[in-house]
Amino acid sequence: ASDVAVAIAATLIGSVSIVMMLYYLVNWPDKDIRKYSYQVISSTISIFCAVLLFQTFNDLVEFYITEGHDIKFKVAVNFVHQLVWFSVLQLALAWISGCLCGSDEKRQVIIEDHESMEHVEMNMSCWGVLLAHMTGFAAINSWGTVQQTAFFKQSPFHALIVLPLALIGNVMLQRCTDTIR
């Protein structure tokens, strides 16, 4: 058999084995095993969806906005792109939680109604995980673009300087929104 045929066969056997393992775990007799299996599957699907969505939007930004421009313009646009996703995350969670659209009385009714509160928590978890990953990918993209500037690509040490800068920048952004909330 050719190398390609062996690779295809190994991929097929691996994929079927993983599906069988997941099926086994989600039908496990122990309730906790089933719960955590579903959580891992859900998180994995969310991450893949976030990768695809972010990559689509990033490709659109690159094609329509940054193509043909210098690296400084690309850095600025990528940071704006990161801020857009960060803002979408914050606003979506504020909206879903009822902080933006409701009165104190309405929020209190939701808190006291168990089903309404579960619905809010489920939506916040769903959209929070998806948008947080997209925001994280945008941050990776923007700080990675900083590493491509002339100063930071001089040496591996210069490229590593971006890491503490990214930490400081992202923590400052988080502190700003924490203060606003």
Side-chain angles (χ1 to χ4, degrees), residues 31-75:
K31 186 178 176 181
D32 288 334
I33 298 291
R34 288 194 311 267
K35 174 186 173 184
Y36 293 118
S37 297
Y38 278 116
Q39 285 180 351
V40 168
I41 292 167
S42 175
S43 294
T44 304
I45 291 171
S46 176
I47 290 169
F48 281 118
C49 289
V51 167
L52 292 173
L53 285 169
F54 173 74
Q55 197 59 51
T56 300
F57 283 106
N58 192 52
D59 287 347
L60 289 170
V61 167
E62 286 178 359
F63 185 77
Y64 288 110
I65 300 173
T66 64
E67 191 155 323
H69 291 283
D70 67 338
I71 192 71
K72 291 178 183 177
F73 182 77
K74 290 178 182 181
V75 168

Short mmCIF file of all heavy atoms in Angstrom, two decimals, residues 31-75:
data_model
loop_
_atom_site.label_atom_id
_atom_site.label_comp_id
_atom_site.label_asym_id
_atom_site.label_seq_id
_atom_site.Cartn_x
_atom_site.Cartn_y
_atom_site.Cartn_z
N LYS A 31 -23.24 9.47 36.34
CA LYS A 31 -23.78 10.75 35.88
C LYS A 31 -22.69 11.82 35.72
O LYS A 31 -22.74 12.62 34.77
CB LYS A 31 -24.85 11.21 36.88
CG LYS A 31 -25.59 12.43 36.49
CD LYS A 31 -26.66 12.79 37.54
CE LYS A 31 -27.35 14.07 37.21
NZ LYS A 31 -28.35 14.43 38.20
N ASP A 32 -21.72 11.86 36.63
CA ASP A 32 -20.65 12.86 36.56
C ASP A 32 -19.78 12.67 35.31
O ASP A 32 -19.40 13.66 34.67
CB ASP A 32 -19.76 12.80 37.80
CG ASP A 32 -20.47 13.33 39.04
OD1 ASP A 32 -21.39 14.15 38.88
OD2 ASP A 32 -20.09 12.93 40.16
N ILE A 33 -19.49 11.43 34.96
CA ILE A 33 -18.68 11.16 33.76
C ILE A 33 -19.43 11.67 32.53
O ILE A 33 -18.84 12.30 31.64
CB ILE A 33 -18.38 9.65 33.62
CG1 ILE A 33 -17.55 9.14 34.80
CG2 ILE A 33 -17.70 9.35 32.29
CD1 ILE A 33 -16.14 9.66 34.84
N ARG A 34 -20.73 11.40 32.46
CA ARG A 34 -21.53 11.88 31.32
C ARG A 34 -21.53 13.41 31.27
O ARG A 34 -21.34 14.00 30.20
CB ARG A 34 -22.97 11.37 31.42
CG ARG A 34 -23.12 9.90 31.13
CD ARG A 34 -24.56 9.49 30.92
NE ARG A 34 -25.49 9.96 31.92
CZ ARG A 34 -25.84 9.28 33.01
NH1 ARG A 34 -25.34 8.08 33.23
NH2 ARG A 34 -26.70 9.78 33.87
N LYS A 35 -21.70 14.05 32.43
CA LYS A 35 -21.75 15.51 32.49
C LYS A 35 -20.44 16.11 31.98
O LYS A 35 -20.45 17.02 31.13
CB LYS A 35 -22.01 15.96 33.93
CG LYS A 35 -21.95 17.44 34.13
CD LYS A 35 -22.08 17.81 35.60
CE LYS A 35 -21.84 19.29 35.80
NZ LYS A 35 -21.85 19.65 37.22
N TYR A 36 -19.32 15.64 32.50
CA TYR A 36 -18.04 16.22 32.11
C TYR A 36 -17.66 15.87 30.67
O TYR A 36 -16.99 16.64 30.00
CB TYR A 36 -16.95 15.82 33.10
CG TYR A 36 -17.18 16.45 34.46
CD1 TYR A 36 -17.39 15.68 35.59
CD2 TYR A 36 -17.23 17.84 34.59
CE1 TYR A 36 -17.63 16.27 36.83
CE2 TYR A 36 -17.46 18.43 35.82
CZ TYR A 36 -17.67 17.65 36.93
OH TYR A 36 -17.91 18.23 38.15
N SER A 37 -18.12 14.71 30.21
CA SER A 37 -17.88 14.37 28.80
C SER A 37 -18.61 15.36 27.89
O SER A 37 -18.04 15.84 26.90
CB SER A 37 -18.37 12.95 28.51
OG SER A 37 -17.64 12.01 29.26
N TYR A 38 -19.86 15.65 28.21
CA TYR A 38 -20.61 16.63 27.42
C TYR A 38 -19.97 18.01 27.50
O TYR A 38 -19.93 18.74 26.52
CB TYR A 38 -22.07 16.70 27.87
CG TYR A 38 -22.92 15.61 27.26
CD1 TYR A 38 -23.51 14.64 28.04
CD2 TYR A 38 -23.15 15.57 25.89
CE1 TYR A 38 -24.29 13.64 27.49
CE2 TYR A 38 -23.93 14.58 25.32
CZ TYR A 38 -24.51 13.61 26.13
OH TYR A 38 -25.28 12.63 25.58
N GLN A 39 -19.45 18.38 28.67
CA GLN A 39 -18.80 19.69 28.80
C GLN A 39 -17.54 19.78 27.94
O GLN A 39 -17.31 20.79 27.29
CB GLN A 39 -18.46 19.97 30.26
CG GLN A 39 -19.65 20.35 31.10
CD GLN A 39 -19.29 20.61 32.56
OE1 GLN A 39 -18.18 20.36 33.00
NE2 GLN A 39 -20.25 21.13 33.31
N VAL A 40 -16.75 18.72 27.91
CA VAL A 40 -15.53 18.72 27.09
C VAL A 40 -15.90 18.77 25.61
O VAL A 40 -15.29 19.52 24.84
CB VAL A 40 -14.66 17.48 27.42
CG1 VAL A 40 -13.56 17.30 26.39
CG2 VAL A 40 -14.08 17.60 28.81
N ILE A 41 -16.88 17.99 25.21
CA ILE A 41 -17.32 18.01 23.81
C ILE A 41 -17.84 19.39 23.43
O ILE A 41 -17.51 19.93 22.37
CB ILE A 41 -18.39 16.92 23.56
CG1 ILE A 41 -17.76 15.54 23.69
CG2 ILE A 41 -19.03 17.09 22.18
CD1 ILE A 41 -18.77 14.40 23.77
N SER A 42 -18.63 19.98 24.31
CA SER A 42 -19.18 21.31 24.05
C SER A 42 -18.08 22.36 23.92
O SER A 42 -18.10 23.19 23.00
CB SER A 42 -20.15 21.70 25.17
OG SER A 42 -20.60 23.01 25.01
N SER A 43 -17.12 22.32 24.82
CA SER A 43 -16.01 23.28 24.77
C SER A 43 -15.18 23.10 23.50
O SER A 43 -14.77 24.08 22.87
CB SER A 43 -15.11 23.13 25.99
OG SER A 43 -15.81 23.48 27.15
N THR A 44 -14.95 21.86 23.13
CA THR A 44 -14.16 21.59 21.92
C THR A 44 -14.86 22.11 20.68
O THR A 44 -14.24 22.76 19.83
CB THR A 44 -13.90 20.07 21.80
OG1 THR A 44 -13.26 19.62 22.98
CG2 THR A 44 -13.04 19.77 20.59
N ILE A 45 -16.16 21.86 20.57
CA ILE A 45 -16.92 22.36 19.43
C ILE A 45 -16.92 23.88 19.42
O ILE A 45 -16.77 24.52 18.37
CB ILE A 45 -18.36 21.79 19.45
CG1 ILE A 45 -18.32 20.30 19.15
CG2 ILE A 45 -19.25 22.52 18.45
CD1 ILE A 45 -19.64 19.60 19.37
N SER A 46 -17.06 24.48 20.60
CA SER A 46 -17.05 25.94 20.69
C SER A 46 -15.72 26.52 20.23
O SER A 46 -15.69 27.53 19.52
CB SER A 46 -17.34 26.37 22.13
OG SER A 46 -17.24 27.76 22.25
N ILE A 47 -14.63 25.90 20.61
CA ILE A 47 -13.31 26.38 20.20
C ILE A 47 -13.17 26.29 18.69
O ILE A 47 -12.70 27.23 18.04
CB ILE A 47 -12.19 25.62 20.92
CG1 ILE A 47 -12.18 26.00 22.41
CG2 ILE A 47 -10.84 25.90 20.29
CD1 ILE A 47 -11.29 25.12 23.26
N PHE A 48 -13.58 25.17 18.10
CA PHE A 48 -13.48 25.03 16.65
C PHE A 48 -14.36 26.06 15.94
O PHE A 48 -13.95 26.64 14.92
CB PHE A 48 -13.85 23.61 16.20
CG PHE A 48 -12.74 22.63 16.39
CD1 PHE A 48 -12.89 21.55 17.24
CD2 PHE A 48 -11.53 22.78 15.73
CE1 PHE A 48 -11.87 20.64 17.42
CE2 PHE A 48 -10.49 21.88 15.90
CZ PHE A 48 -10.66 20.80 16.75
N CYS A 49 -15.56 26.29 16.45
CA CYS A 49 -16.43 27.32 15.86
C CYS A 49 -15.79 28.70 15.97
O CYS A 49 -15.83 29.50 15.02
CB CYS A 49 -17.80 27.32 16.53
SG CYS A 49 -18.80 25.89 16.12
N ALA A 50 -15.20 28.99 17.13
CA ALA A 50 -14.55 30.29 17.32
C ALA A 50 -13.38 30.46 16.36
O ALA A 50 -13.18 31.55 15.80
CB ALA A 50 -14.08 30.44 18.78
N VAL A 51 -12.60 29.40 16.15
CA VAL A 51 -11.48 29.47 15.20
C VAL A 51 -12.01 29.80 13.81
O VAL A 51 -11.49 30.69 13.13
CB VAL A 51 -10.69 28.14 15.18
CG1 VAL A 51 -9.75 28.08 13.99
CG2 VAL A 51 -9.92 27.95 16.47
N LEU A 52 -13.04 29.09 13.39
CA LEU A 52 -13.58 29.32 12.04
C LEU A 52 -14.17 30.71 11.89
O LEU A 52 -13.93 31.40 10.89
CB LEU A 52 -14.62 28.25 11.71
CG LEU A 52 -14.08 26.83 11.54
CD1 LEU A 52 -15.23 25.85 11.39
CD2 LEU A 52 -13.14 26.75 10.36
N LEU A 53 -14.94 31.15 12.88
CA LEU A 53 -15.54 32.48 12.81
C LEU A 53 -14.48 33.57 12.83
O LEU A 53 -14.53 34.50 12.02
CB LEU A 53 -16.53 32.68 13.97
CG LEU A 53 -17.85 31.96 13.83
CD1 LEU A 53 -18.62 32.02 15.14
CD2 LEU A 53 -18.67 32.59 12.72
N PHE A 54 -13.52 33.47 13.76
CA PHE A 54 -12.49 34.50 13.82
C PHE A 54 -11.68 34.53 12.53
O PHE A 54 -11.39 35.61 12.00
CB PHE A 54 -11.55 34.30 15.00
CG PHE A 54 -10.39 35.26 14.95
CD1 PHE A 54 -10.59 36.60 15.26
CD2 PHE A 54 -9.15 34.86 14.51
CE1 PHE A 54 -9.55 37.51 15.16
CE2 PHE A 54 -8.11 35.76 14.41
CZ PHE A 54 -8.32 37.09 14.73
N GLN A 55 -11.31 33.37 12.02
CA GLN A 55 -10.51 33.33 10.81
C GLN A 55 -11.26 33.94 9.63
O GLN A 55 -10.66 34.64 8.81
CB GLN A 55 -10.09 31.89 10.48
CG GLN A 55 -8.95 31.81 9.50
CD GLN A 55 -7.71 32.52 9.99
OE1 GLN A 55 -7.25 32.31 11.10
NE2 GLN A 55 -7.16 33.39 9.17
N THR A 56 -12.56 33.73 9.57
CA THR A 56 -13.37 34.33 8.51
C THR A 56 -13.35 35.85 8.61
O THR A 56 -13.09 36.54 7.62
CB THR A 56 -14.82 33.82 8.59
OG1 THR A 56 -14.81 32.39 8.43
CG2 THR A 56 -15.69 34.44 7.52
N PHE A 57 -13.62 36.36 9.79
CA PHE A 57 -13.61 37.82 9.97
C PHE A 57 -12.22 38.40 9.76
O PHE A 57 -12.07 39.47 9.16
CB PHE A 57 -14.15 38.21 11.35
CG PHE A 57 -15.64 38.11 11.45
CD1 PHE A 57 -16.23 37.07 12.15
CD2 PHE A 57 -16.45 39.05 10.83
CE1 PHE A 57 -17.61 36.98 12.23
CE2 PHE A 57 -17.83 38.96 10.92
CZ PHE A 57 -18.42 37.92 11.61
N ASN A 58 -11.20 37.70 10.23
CA ASN A 58 -9.83 38.19 10.06
C ASN A 58 -9.45 38.21 8.58
O ASN A 58 -8.79 39.16 8.12
CB ASN A 58 -8.86 37.33 10.85
CG ASN A 58 -7.49 37.95 10.94
OD1 ASN A 58 -7.36 39.11 11.32
ND2 ASN A 58 -6.48 37.20 10.58
N ASP A 59 -9.84 37.19 7.83
CA ASP A 59 -9.56 37.18 6.39
C ASP A 59 -10.26 38.34 5.69
O ASP A 59 -9.69 38.96 4.79
CB ASP A 59 -9.98 35.86 5.76
CG ASP A 59 -9.06 34.70 6.13
OD1 ASP A 59 -7.96 34.96 6.67
OD2 ASP A 59 -9.46 33.54 5.89
N LEU A 60 -11.49 38.65 6.12
CA LEU A 60 -12.20 39.79 5.53
C LEU A 60 -11.47 41.11 5.84
O LEU A 60 -11.33 41.97 4.97
CB LEU A 60 -13.64 39.85 6.05
CG LEU A 60 -14.57 38.76 5.53
CD1 LEU A 60 -15.89 38.78 6.30
CD2 LEU A 60 -14.80 38.91 4.04
N VAL A 61 -11.01 41.25 7.08
CA VAL A 61 -10.27 42.46 7.46
C VAL A 61 -8.99 42.57 6.65
O VAL A 61 -8.67 43.64 6.13
CB VAL A 61 -9.96 42.45 8.98
CG1 VAL A 61 -8.93 43.51 9.34
CG2 VAL A 61 -11.23 42.66 9.79
N GLU A 62 -8.27 41.47 6.52
CA GLU A 62 -7.03 41.50 5.75
C GLU A 62 -7.30 41.81 4.28
O GLU A 62 -6.57 42.60 3.67
CB GLU A 62 -6.29 40.17 5.87
CG GLU A 62 -5.63 39.96 7.21
CD GLU A 62 -4.94 38.60 7.32
OE1 GLU A 62 -4.98 37.81 6.35
OE2 GLU A 62 -4.36 38.35 8.39
N PHE A 63 -8.33 41.20 3.70
CA PHE A 63 -8.60 41.38 2.28
C PHE A 63 -9.08 42.80 1.96
O PHE A 63 -8.63 43.42 1.00
CB PHE A 63 -9.62 40.35 1.80
CG PHE A 63 -9.87 40.39 0.33
CD1 PHE A 63 -8.96 39.83 -0.56
CD2 PHE A 63 -11.01 40.99 -0.18
CE1 PHE A 63 -9.19 39.86 -1.93
CE2 PHE A 63 -11.24 41.03 -1.54
CZ PHE A 63 -10.33 40.47 -2.42
N TYR A 64 -10.01 43.31 2.77
CA TYR A 64 -10.64 44.59 2.44
C TYR A 64 -9.95 45.80 3.07
O TYR A 64 -10.14 46.92 2.61
CB TYR A 64 -12.11 44.58 2.85
CG TYR A 64 -12.95 43.72 1.95
CD1 TYR A 64 -13.49 42.53 2.42
CD2 TYR A 64 -13.21 44.09 0.63
CE1 TYR A 64 -14.26 41.73 1.60
CE2 TYR A 64 -13.97 43.29 -0.19
CZ TYR A 64 -14.49 42.11 0.29
OH TYR A 64 -15.24 41.32 -0.53
N ILE A 65 -9.18 45.61 4.14
CA ILE A 65 -8.64 46.77 4.85
C ILE A 65 -7.11 46.83 4.82
O ILE A 65 -6.55 47.86 4.47
CB ILE A 65 -9.15 46.81 6.31
CG1 ILE A 65 -10.68 46.91 6.32
CG2 ILE A 65 -8.54 47.97 7.07
CD1 ILE A 65 -11.31 46.77 7.68
N THR A 66 -6.44 45.76 5.21
CA THR A 66 -4.99 45.86 5.43
C THR A 66 -4.14 45.46 4.24
O THR A 66 -2.94 45.70 4.26
CB THR A 66 -4.56 45.01 6.65
OG1 THR A 66 -4.80 43.64 6.37
CG2 THR A 66 -5.27 45.45 7.90
N GLU A 67 -4.72 44.84 3.24
CA GLU A 67 -3.92 44.37 2.10
C GLU A 67 -3.23 45.54 1.40
O GLU A 67 -3.85 46.54 1.06
CB GLU A 67 -4.79 43.61 1.11
CG GLU A 67 -3.95 42.88 0.09
CD GLU A 67 -4.68 41.70 -0.50
OE1 GLU A 67 -5.40 41.02 0.24
OE2 GLU A 67 -4.52 41.48 -1.70
N GLY A 68 -1.93 45.40 1.24
CA GLY A 68 -1.15 46.42 0.55
C GLY A 68 -0.64 47.54 1.44
O GLY A 68 0.06 48.43 0.96
N HIS A 69 -0.97 47.51 2.72
CA HIS A 69 -0.52 48.56 3.64
C HIS A 69 0.72 48.11 4.40
O HIS A 69 1.04 46.92 4.46
CB HIS A 69 -1.64 48.94 4.62
CG HIS A 69 -2.78 49.64 3.98
ND1 HIS A 69 -2.73 50.97 3.62
CD2 HIS A 69 -4.02 49.21 3.63
CE1 HIS A 69 -3.88 51.33 3.08
NE2 HIS A 69 -4.68 50.28 3.07
N ASP A 70 1.39 49.05 5.03
CA ASP A 70 2.59 48.73 5.79
C ASP A 70 2.23 48.09 7.13
O ASP A 70 1.07 48.05 7.54
CB ASP A 70 3.45 49.98 6.00
CG ASP A 70 2.80 51.03 6.88
OD1 ASP A 70 1.56 51.01 7.01
OD2 ASP A 70 3.52 51.86 7.45
N ILE A 71 3.25 47.59 7.82
CA ILE A 71 3.06 46.82 9.05
C ILE A 71 2.46 47.67 10.17
O ILE A 71 1.67 47.16 10.97
CB ILE A 71 4.38 46.14 9.49
CG1 ILE A 71 4.12 45.12 10.60
CG2 ILE A 71 5.41 47.16 9.94
CD1 ILE A 71 3.42 43.89 10.15
N LYS A 72 2.79 48.95 10.24
CA LYS A 72 2.24 49.79 11.30
C LYS A 72 0.73 49.93 11.16
O LYS A 72 0.00 49.89 12.16
CB LYS A 72 2.91 51.17 11.28
CG LYS A 72 4.35 51.13 11.72
CD LYS A 72 4.99 52.49 11.65
CE LYS A 72 6.46 52.40 12.02
NZ LYS A 72 7.15 53.66 11.90
N PHE A 73 0.26 50.06 9.93
CA PHE A 73 -1.18 50.14 9.69
C PHE A 73 -1.85 48.81 10.07
O PHE A 73 -2.91 48.80 10.69
CB PHE A 73 -1.46 50.47 8.22
CG PHE A 73 -2.91 50.61 7.89
CD1 PHE A 73 -3.61 51.76 8.23
CD2 PHE A 73 -3.59 49.59 7.24
CE1 PHE A 73 -4.95 51.89 7.93
CE2 PHE A 73 -4.93 49.70 6.94
CZ PHE A 73 -5.61 50.86 7.28
N LYS A 74 -1.19 47.70 9.73
CA LYS A 74 -1.74 46.38 10.06
C LYS A 74 -1.82 46.18 11.58
O LYS A 74 -2.80 45.63 12.08
CB LYS A 74 -0.89 45.28 9.43
CG LYS A 74 -1.03 45.22 7.92
CD LYS A 74 -0.15 44.14 7.34
CE LYS A 74 -0.29 44.14 5.82
NZ LYS A 74 0.53 43.10 5.20
N VAL A 75 -0.80 46.65 12.30
CA VAL A 75 -0.82 46.55 13.76
C VAL A 75 -2.00 47.34 14.32
O VAL A 75 -2.75 46.84 15.16
CB VAL A 75 0.51 47.05 14.37
CG1 VAL A 75 0.40 47.23 15.87
CG2 VAL A 75 1.64 46.09 14.05
#
